[in-house]
Amino acid sequence: MKNFIFTAFILVAFCNITKAQQLKSPEGKFVMEFSLQSDGTPTYNLKYKNKEVVKSSKLGLELKDDKKSLLNDFTIIDTKTATFDENWKPVWGEVATIRNHYNELAVTLSQKGTDRQLLIRFRLFDDGLGFRYEFPTQKNLTYFVIKEEKTQFAMTGDHTAFWIPGDYDTQEYDYTKSKLSEIRGLAEKAYTANVSQKSFSPTGVQTSLMLKTAEGLYINLHEAALIDYSCMHLNLDDKNMIFESWLTPDAKGDKGHMQAPNHSPWRTIIVSDNATEILDSKMTLNLNDPCKIEDTSWIKPVKYVGVWWEMITGKSSWSYTNDFPTVQLGVTDFSKAKPNGTHGATNANVKKYIDFAALNGFDAVLVEGWNEGWEDWFGHSKDYVFDFVTPYPDFDVKGLHAYAKSKGVKIMMHHETSGSVRNYERHMDKAYKFMNDNGYDAVKSGYVGDILPRGENHYSQWIVNHYQYALEKAAEYKIMVNAHEAVRPTGISRTYPNLIGNESARGTEYQAFGGSKANHVTILPFTRLIGGPMDYTPGIFEMDISKLNPDNKSHVNSTIANQLALYVTMYSPLQMAADLPEHYNKFADAFQFIKDVAIDWDESKYLEAEPGDYITVARKAKGTNNWFVGNVNGDVSRTSNINFNFLEKGKKYTATIYADAKDAHYKTNPQAYTIKKIAITNKSKLSQLSVPGGGYAISIIETK
C-alpha cells in the first residue's frame, strides 16, 4: 500500500514569512517547528509528547572562498507539505515488511544579495525526525566547496551520553558513559591507540550518538544515506550543550566538493521514552532510496567460519615466509621461499575448516592471508601492496574451490587494501572477475592503516565515494560485500542490499588485543547498529587467549552464554562462528545453538533494554514458526524477566535455554553455563539470571 498526498503553498510575490512552519508526525507525538531568526538564519526545534527534545537550533553551511556563506539573510519563498505511507519488503532484515510513514515539510529559502536558493527538507516519522539540505539547479550556486556544515542539535540539559571520541579514521573505541559536561575531561582517556586515527576536538564525538535525559527520554543522533558527502561527527559546545556537525576533511582540509543539483545526507534524531523503541526504529533505512538492484536473488544471508581468529590471536600468521624483508609483486619469487610454518591459509588448514563447515551446516569459510604480499603489507605507505589474484604456493585456488563445492560450502574472499585505495580500484574488475571464475560470491574487504592517496582520511568525501564505487561495482559481478574499517553504515543496505555487513566499530578482534568492556555489546545496538548490521564475529568459547598464543595475555570479557546471545542481539545477515573448531568440539552442547540460530527474520521483538546495562530480543526465523531469544548483560548481575506472549496462541513449543551458571562471571568463570529444555506457550513467563558480562540464549521450536 502506498499513499502520497502532496500540497503546495505558493506564496504571493515571494513575501518573507516570519511565522514558524509547524510539522507534526503521523500520530502526533512529535512536533517540529521551522523558523527564521531576525537576521534570516534558519532554525528548527523538536518536541516529543510536548517535551522539548531539541531547542531552537541553527541550520546552514559555511562555504570556502565565498563572500557570503549559506548561513543567514534568507527569506522563505515557498513551502510544500506531503504525507507518505508505504510498506516495503527488505531483501534481508529483522522483519519481513517495513512501514515507511512520514509527514514532510520542504522549505525553499532565497538569500538576499546572492539570489541563491537553499531547500531544507524535513521528514517527521512516529519515531523521529530526518532533515537534509538540498541545492536546486540555479545559476548562482553551481560548483562550491563546503568549509563546514553548521547544523546544530541544541540539547535541553546535561544529558547522559554513550560516546566514542571524534576521529577521522576509526570507530574502534570502547564506549564511555558520562554526562555531556564530562566529555572534555574524559576525552584523552577515551582516545586509545589505533593503527590509523586522527582526532579533532576534546569535545568531538561520533555518531550514532546515544543520549538519555534526566527525565528518561532516549535520544539518538546520526545520519542516513551518506552518499557523495563527508561523514558527519558532532562537536559539543559544553557551555551551552549544543552539538554542531563537524564534517571529515579531505587531504586539503576541504569538507565537501559539491555540484548542484545535489543534497546532503539526512541528519537524524530518533526519540522515545522507551529504549526498546530506539532499537526497533527503521527510520534510518526509510530515509534511504529503495533497492536499485533489479535481481536480488543472488543476495543471501551467510553463516560462516574462517581462518581468521587464529591469526588475530597470534597463533597463526597471514604471511607465508620469513625470508623476505620486503616484497615486490611480480618480482619476488615465493616458490623459492621457505615457508615459515605458521602460515594459516594452507591447503590442509583450509580443508579442515571446510570439513567443519560442511559437518555443521555453515555456508562459507573465510580465508585470510591466501594471497601474496603479507610479508610487508602494513606501515610502509605502499601503493602496489596486493593484486588480489595471486595466491601463495600453499594455497590451491582451483583445488580448494572444487573441494569446497563437493562439500556444499563456499569460500569467502578476503581483499585487504592496506588503505591503498587507488591500487584497489585499479585491480577491482580483475579481482571481482577472479571471484566469479573461482566460485566466490562474497568478499570481506579491509582498509587497515592510513589511506593512500596520502593525507586522505577514512571518512572524507573522496573515500566515502570509493566505498560506494566498490559496492556498486561488486553488484555488477553479483558479489556481496562486508567492508571493514570503512565508513560507518547509514542505511545504504536498503538501496544496495549486497552490502551485507560492515565492521566500522570495535569488534571481537579487540578481545584478543587487550579486551573490550564487558558491557560493550549492550551499547553497540544503540549506536553502531542504528545504521546497519555489523560483522561483529561472535562465538568465542575459549576466553583465555594465552591458550592459543602464550605470548598473548588477553582475555575475552564475556561468558559463553553471552557469546551465544550475540547471534540474536547483534542483528546481521552475516554471522561468523569465529572461534577454532576444536573449541566448538569441546563445548558441543553450547555450539548447538550457533548451528541452530537463524540469520534472517520475519519478526523481531525488543523485550527489554537499557543502553550499557542489558538488551533482550526475540526474533522469528524466516518462513518458520520458530523463535530465538538473546539476552546480553552489562557489568552488574541481574534477573531478566520476560514473557512469551509473542508466540502464536494455541501452539506448544519446546524452549532450549542456554544460560549462565550461578557462579559464572565474565572474568573468573566465563565457561560455566547450563542448558535446559522446558515446554512453553504464549502464556509462559521466564525469570532468568544474567551474570556480569553474561546473558542467555533460547531456541524455541514449535512442538508438532
Side-chain angles (χ1 to χ4, degrees):
M1 188 265 292
K2 183 180 289 188
N3 182 24
F4 205 127
I5 304 171
F6 187 76
T7 308
F9 299 92
I10 307 300
L11 304 177
V12 179
F14 301 104
C15 62
N16 181 21
I17 297 178
T18 57
K19 183 180 178 181
Q21 307 295 298
Q22 190 178 91
L23 182 67
K24 292 185 177 181
S25 60
E27 292 182 359
K29 292 186 292 185
F30 287 92
V31 176
M32 189 282 301
E33 287 189 344
F34 173 86
S35 63
L36 295 177
Q37 292 182 340
S38 58
D39 66 349
T41 298
T43 68
Y44 76 100
N45 64 70
L46 181 66
K47 292 181 180 179
Y48 171 75
K49 294 183 178 180
N50 296 317
K51 296 179 181 178
E52 195 169 40
V53 177
V54 179
K55 299 190 296 184
S56 182
S57 300
K58 296 179 181 180
L59 300 168
L61 299 103
E62 184 179 0
L63 306 185
K64 180 182 179 182
D65 298 330
D66 201 290
K67 293 181 180 179
K68 193 168 188 177
S69 291
L70 298 173
L71 294 172
N72 53 26
D73 265 354
F74 286 108
T75 59
I76 300 175
I77 62 170
D78 186 26
T79 63
K80 292 182 173 66
T81 59
T83 295
F84 186 76
D85 193 359
E86 70 168 357
N87 291 298
W88 60 278
K89 294 184 179 297
V91 175
W92 43 261
E94 296 182 84
V95 293
T97 303
I98 293 175
R99 188 182 187 188
N100 184 12
H101 189 198
Y102 60 82
N103 291 333
E104 180 177 281
L105 171 66
V107 182
T108 302
L109 305 172
S110 179
Q111 189 177 44
K112 298 176 183 177
T114 67
D115 197 26
R116 291 171 172 172
Q117 290 188 8
L118 174 66
L119 189 151
I120 306 177
R121 189 178 304 274
F122 299 91
R123 288 182 180 172
L124 198 51
F125 301 77
D126 287 321
D127 45 352
L129 173 67
F131 61 90
R132 73 181 184 188
Y133 303 97
E134 299 182 8
F135 312 101
T137 301
Q138 54 193 295
K139 65 179 182 178
N140 291 339
L141 189 66
T142 53
Y143 292 92
F144 57 100
V145 178
I146 297 173
K147 184 177 180 181
E148 191 60 77
E149 183 186 315
K150 307 296 283 187
T151 303
Q152 290 185 347
F153 305 86
M155 299 292 98
T156 59
D158 190 9
H159 303 332
T160 298
F162 299 83
W163 57 276
I164 55 176
D167 196 292
Y168 297 151
D169 285 296
T170 185
Q171 280 195 281
E172 295 176 352
Y173 295 111
D174 252 324
Y175 281 87
T176 299
K177 176 184 177 182
S178 76
K179 294 290 188 181
L180 295 178
S181 59
E182 296 171 333
I183 290 177
R184 183 183 298 273
L186 295 171
E188 185 175 353
K189 183 180 178 181
Y191 190 73
T192 52
N194 196 281
V195 295
S196 180
Q197 57 188 155
K198 189 179 296 180
S199 66
F200 59 86
S201 166
T203 58
V205 296
Q206 299 192 48
T207 69
S208 172
L209 177 68
M210 191 66 211
L211 303 160
K212 185 179 181 181
T213 72
E215 296 75 30
L217 276 185
Y218 299 89
I219 305 169
N220 186 278
L221 304 179
H222 194 29
E223 62 180 325
L226 174 57
I227 300 284
D228 192 22
Y229 205 82
S230 173
C231 175
M232 180 184 74
H233 308 273
L234 299 172
N235 197 35
L236 177 66
D237 170 357
D238 50 3
K239 291 183 179 180
N240 298 299
M241 300 303 164
I242 298 175
F243 284 109
E244 189 168 274
S245 59
W246 186 287
L247 304 182
T248 306
D250 62 17
K252 295 171 60 179
D254 298 331
K255 300 295 184 79
H257 287 253
M258 307 293 288
Q259 178 186 359
N262 207 335
H263 55 76
S264 73
W266 297 93
R267 280 61 189 99
T268 62
I269 309 169
I270 303 172
V271 185
S272 180
D273 47 18
N274 188 333
T276 61
E277 293 182 354
I278 301 292
L279 298 174
D280 200 32
S281 173
K282 303 298 184 291
M283 193 179 86
T284 307
L285 287 172
N286 281 330
L287 286 167
N288 279 266
D289 289 340
C291 180
K292 291 187 177 181
I293 301 174
E294 291 186 11
D295 173 22
T296 59
S297 61
W298 52 275
I299 302 173
K300 305 286 187 183
V302 179
K303 192 188 291 186
Y304 71 107
V305 296
V307 185
W308 175 75
W309 186 241
E310 59 186 81
M311 284 104 138
I312 292 295
T313 57
K315 181 178 186 291
S316 300
S317 66
W318 284 269
S319 61
Y320 171 75
T321 181
N322 297 334
D323 286 358
F324 306 134
T326 181
V327 168
Q328 291 180 310
L329 298 182
V331 176
T332 304
D333 188 353
F334 284 93
S335 68
K336 297 178 180 179
K338 178 184 177 182
N340 57 22
T342 60
H343 187 219
T346 66
N347 292 326
N349 198 32
V350 173
K351 284 182 178 180
K352 182 185 78 170
Y353 280 88
I354 291 172
D355 291 343
F356 182 80
L359 179 65
N360 293 287
F362 287 83
D363 303 304
V365 175
L366 167 71
V367 183
E368 296 198 8
W370 67 276
N371 55 318
E372 291 184 356
W374 286 93
E375 285 70 19
D376 68 343
W377 71 283
F378 175 75
H380 304 292
S381 193
K382 185 177 182 180
D383 188 27
Y384 188 25
V385 58
F386 295 113
D387 68 6
F388 313 101
V389 297
T390 305
Y392 282 124
D394 58 354
F395 186 86
D396 180 0
V397 174
K398 299 291 185 184
L400 288 171
H401 167 47
Y403 186 80
K405 187 175 181 180
S406 73
K407 299 279 187 174
V409 174
K410 294 189 175 183
I411 303 179
M412 186 180 296
M413 177 56 71
H414 182 232
H415 287 166
E416 177 54 61
T417 69
S418 189
S420 185
V421 174
R422 295 184 305 182
N423 181 61
Y424 192 31
E425 291 189 358
R426 285 195 293 264
H427 290 87
M428 197 173 286
D429 279 290
K430 186 177 181 180
Y432 287 160
K433 187 177 186 304
F434 178 87
M435 289 179 61
N436 287 166
D437 293 343
N438 292 284
Y440 297 84
D441 61 4
V443 61
K444 173 185 175 181
S445 57
Y447 297 86
V448 174
D450 293 339
I451 292 291
L452 290 174
R454 297 174 184 89
E456 283 290 347
N457 298 304
H458 280 76
Y459 307 148
S460 58
Q461 182 188 27
W462 193 87
I463 306 300
V464 166
N465 288 347
H466 161 78
Y467 303 137
Q468 188 65 28
Y469 173 78
L471 180 63
E472 294 183 28
K473 178 64 70 173
E476 294 177 15
Y477 289 87
K478 295 187 176 181
I479 289 171
M480 297 178 287
V481 175
N482 165 29
H484 282 226
E485 295 88 29
V487 72
R488 52 187 171 269
T490 56
I492 291 170
S493 57
R494 178 189 180 186
T495 313
Y496 293 95
N498 63 318
L499 183 62
I500 58 171
N502 282 110
E503 183 192 37
S504 307
R506 187 182 179 98
T508 299
E509 64 184 0
Y510 277 82
Q511 299 282 23
F513 301 160
S516 296
K517 292 179 181 177
N519 72 342
H520 186 57
V521 294
T522 69
I523 300 173
L524 282 173
F526 286 99
T527 52
R528 162 62 184 78
L529 270 70
I530 292 295
M534 179 179 178
D535 183 31
Y536 187 71
T537 62
I540 305 302
F541 282 10
E542 179 51 70
M543 312 307 176
D544 183 355
I545 303 302
S546 68
K547 291 182 179 180
L548 287 79
N549 174 10
D551 296 326
N552 188 337
K553 306 302 182 184
S554 290
H555 181 87
V556 179
N557 294 322
S558 166
T559 68
I560 284 181
N562 178 284
Q563 288 291 308
L564 298 180
L566 293 173
Y567 290 91
V568 186
T569 62
M570 294 281 289
Y571 167 68
S572 178
L574 179 73
Q575 291 283 18
M576 184 183 196
D579 212 336
L580 308 187
E582 51 264 38
H583 296 156
Y584 292 135
N585 292 334
K586 183 179 178 181
F587 300 99
D589 54 353
F591 182 56
Q592 187 63 44
F593 181 83
I594 299 178
K595 293 165 62 175
D596 292 341
V597 69
I599 51 175
D600 201 15
W601 311 98
D602 278 334
E603 296 181 51
S604 293
K605 306 289 184 183
Y606 288 91
L607 306 180
E608 56 175 0
E610 183 64 31
D613 292 341
Y614 56 87
I615 297 173
T616 308
V617 190
R619 304 192 194 273
K620 185 180 181 183
K622 180 75 73 177
T624 77
N625 207 27
N626 301 328
W627 289 77
F628 294 85
V629 177
N631 164 272
V632 290
N633 191 39
D635 300 313
V636 179
S637 182
R638 69 180 292 270
T639 298
S640 170
N641 294 294
I642 62 171
N643 65 60
F644 295 98
N645 58 6
F646 50 84
L647 299 175
E648 188 175 344
K649 291 182 179 179
K651 298 284 188 179
K652 295 181 179 179
Y653 300 83
T654 298
T656 304
I657 304 172
Y658 304 77
D660 296 318
K662 290 183 179 180
D663 60 346
H665 189 282
Y666 76 89
K667 185 66 75 174
T668 59
N669 198 16
Q671 294 175 320
Y673 60 89
T674 63
I675 302 175
K676 65 179 180 180
K677 291 189 177 184
I678 60 174
I680 63 171
T681 69
N682 78 312
K683 296 181 181 179
S684 300
K685 297 180 180 181
L686 176 69
S687 180
Q688 182 64 55
L689 171 70
S690 291
V691 305
Y696 59 85
I698 310 174
S699 64
I700 303 173
I701 309 301
E702 183 181 356
T703 304
K704 301 295 185 182

